Amino acid sequence: MNKKLAILGIVVVILGILASASLFTVNETQQALVLQFGEPRRVIQEPGLKAKVPFIQNVVVYDRRVLDLDPPVEQVILADQKRLDVDAFARYRITDPLRFFQSVGSEMVLEQRLNTVVVSALRRVLGNVTVLAILSDERSQVMADIRQQVNAEAQRFGIDVVDVRIRRADLPEETSQSIFARMRSEREREAAEFRAQGQEQAQQIRSRAERERTVIIAEAQRDSQVLRGEGDNQAFRIIAEATGRDADFYSFYRTLQAYRDSLRNEDTTMVLSPTGDFFKYFGTLSGMASAGGAGSAPSGVPGGAPANTSGASAIPSAPSSTPPATQGAENTQPGKAAN
């Protein structure tokens, strides 16, 4: 009995080993290729529990999801002879496991060969476009052309290239420095041009303002001269009318103006004869001059002798035969207003 149980156990173990060697599982994200002595026998793309001949056949599993490819940064010469360091990436999916196994065998070998295909397509397409095309709305069309060329060559690997994109496209360091220097000089030239234009406009504005200022000042001076002449004319007319009415009063008024202008400062010294016409109103209001021959000037007159000086005589009441004098300060134009 014990021997039968042992044999049965051995049989069960053998059946379990055979079952584990002949059964395998393919999930939703995988696809399998069954090989017999290294030769492909069948392709399994449906998920589930699958069987194979144990110890004779083996299974190679490939991922059916979208896979990433990240080629190294490559320097590309564009159509305008400018260099760019292009960092691109691609996404692909294994669509034919049999062709994939026959052409490349593994994903590692595929990445090496696909890198070469992507870089070649980048050089061919970008060599026919300019920097502006890459930086403008034409970039999507450029990417579509690259993906089409890469996909056409990748079909022989049993894969389908879903997308190819440029992650970054930078100028080389030495090119960037030269471009920055050229941009800086261009901006400095534009700034100098704008400053020159501004200075020119400022000079024009200053010249125009100076011309307008000169015209305004000239017109104002002209108007002031006209008004001053009209005022002087009117003043002369009024003075002439007043003089014609009372000549003696006008002579008295002008003499008082001469006194005020001549005796204004305290340190004024005048050497005049007391009997001269300048002091004719120091006697009486009617203009009677003093009759003394060797007398001194009336007291209170600057430059004259004191009242008690010997030889001074009183001013006689007889009218002087000398006509009204305008000596000294009488040269002032008629019509000068008193301060």
Side-chain angles (χ1 to χ4, degrees):
M1 184 67 182
N2 293 332
K3 185 183 292 186
K4 290 181 179 180
L5 291 176
I7 294 174
L8 181 61
I10 294 173
V11 171
V12 170
V13 171
I14 293 174
L15 291 176
I17 294 173
L18 292 175
S20 63
S22 60
L23 298 176
F24 62 94
T25 302
V26 179
N27 58 33
E28 293 82 358
T29 62
Q30 294 176 339
Q31 51 189 344
L33 180 65
V34 178
L35 305 178
Q36 183 174 339
F37 301 113
E39 295 293 331
R41 292 301 179 186
R42 57 195 176 102
V43 176
I44 302 175
Q45 293 182 328
E46 296 296 330
L49 183 62
K50 308 297 179 181
K52 63 181 181 65
V53 178
F55 308 113
I56 297 177
Q57 295 180 341
N58 61 312
V59 179
V60 179
V61 179
Y62 298 113
D63 202 329
R64 65 185 304 171
R65 293 174 296 184
V66 176
L67 304 176
D68 293 331
L69 177 70
D70 192 6
V73 178
E74 288 290 332
Q75 189 172 102
V76 179
I77 300 177
L78 304 181
D80 51 2
Q81 301 303 313
K82 293 182 179 179
R83 297 176 180 271
L84 283 182
D85 290 337
V86 180
D87 183 10
F89 66 94
R91 291 188 176 93
Y92 67 94
R93 180 188 293 113
I94 300 175
T95 56
D96 191 348
L98 179 58
R99 181 176 297 180
F100 182 84
F101 175 78
Q102 293 174 344
S103 58
V104 294
S106 64
E107 294 180 3
M108 185 178 297
V109 178
L110 174 68
E111 289 182 359
Q112 296 176 358
R113 300 183 63 176
L114 193 57
N115 282 338
T116 304
V117 173
V118 172
V119 171
S120 299
L122 284 173
R123 292 183 182 276
R124 285 195 300 269
V125 176
L126 296 182
N128 297 323
V129 299
T130 61
V131 175
L132 294 178
I134 298 176
L135 301 178
S136 63
D137 295 338
E138 300 179 10
R139 180 167 180 164
S140 58
Q141 182 61 40
V142 172
M143 294 296 97
D145 294 341
I146 295 175
R147 186 185 67 83
Q148 184 177 1
Q149 293 190 17
V150 172
N151 198 23
E153 296 187 18
Q155 293 294 326
R156 56 192 177 93
F157 301 141
I159 62 174
D160 179 30
V161 178
V162 177
D163 194 11
V164 178
R165 294 288 176 180
I166 294 178
R167 183 182 292 112
R168 293 187 61 181
D170 298 329
L171 294 171
E173 184 64 25
E174 59 276 7
T175 306
S176 300
Q177 295 300 327
S178 61
I179 291 177
F180 291 156
R182 186 168 62 250
M183 292 173 62
R184 187 181 301 109
S185 61
E186 181 68 18
R187 296 299 178 271
E188 291 176 352
R189 184 189 64 79
E190 293 179 357
E193 183 178 355
F194 290 152
R195 291 193 189 96
Q197 293 177 358
Q199 292 177 357
E200 180 182 2
Q201 294 178 2
Q203 187 63 31
Q204 293 176 356
I205 293 173
R206 293 192 190 98
S207 301
R208 185 165 56 252
E210 185 66 24
R211 183 173 62 252
E212 293 177 356
R213 171 181 171 274
T214 304
V215 172
I216 292 173
I217 292 175
E219 292 178 352
Q221 291 178 349
R222 181 198 62 191
D223 295 341
S224 66
Q225 292 293 337
V226 171
L227 294 176
R228 189 178 295 111
E230 293 177 353
D232 292 343
N233 186 22
Q234 187 176 2
F236 292 152
R237 182 176 56 80
I238 295 173
I239 292 173
E241 292 177 356
T243 304
R245 292 178 183 178
D246 191 348
D248 293 336
F249 176 77
Y250 179 71
S251 177
F252 174 71
Y253 174 74
R254 294 293 293 167
T255 302
L256 292 180
Q257 284 185 333
Y259 291 162
R260 183 189 61 191
D261 294 337
S262 300
L263 306 176
R264 178 174 298 173
N265 297 326
E266 296 180 357
D267 59 348
T268 301
T269 302
M270 301 180 66
V271 181
L272 297 172
S273 173
T275 60
D277 292 339
F278 188 70
F279 295 109
K280 67 179 180 178
Y281 288 107
F282 271 63
T284 61
L285 291 177
S286 61
M288 301 299 293
S290 63
S296 60
S299 67
V301 179
N308 56 1
T309 305
S310 63
S313 59
I315 298 174
S317 60
S320 175
S321 60
T322 305
T326 58
Q327 182 181 357
E330 290 299 314
N331 292 330
T332 307
Q333 292 182 358
K336 182 177 180 182
N339 290 335

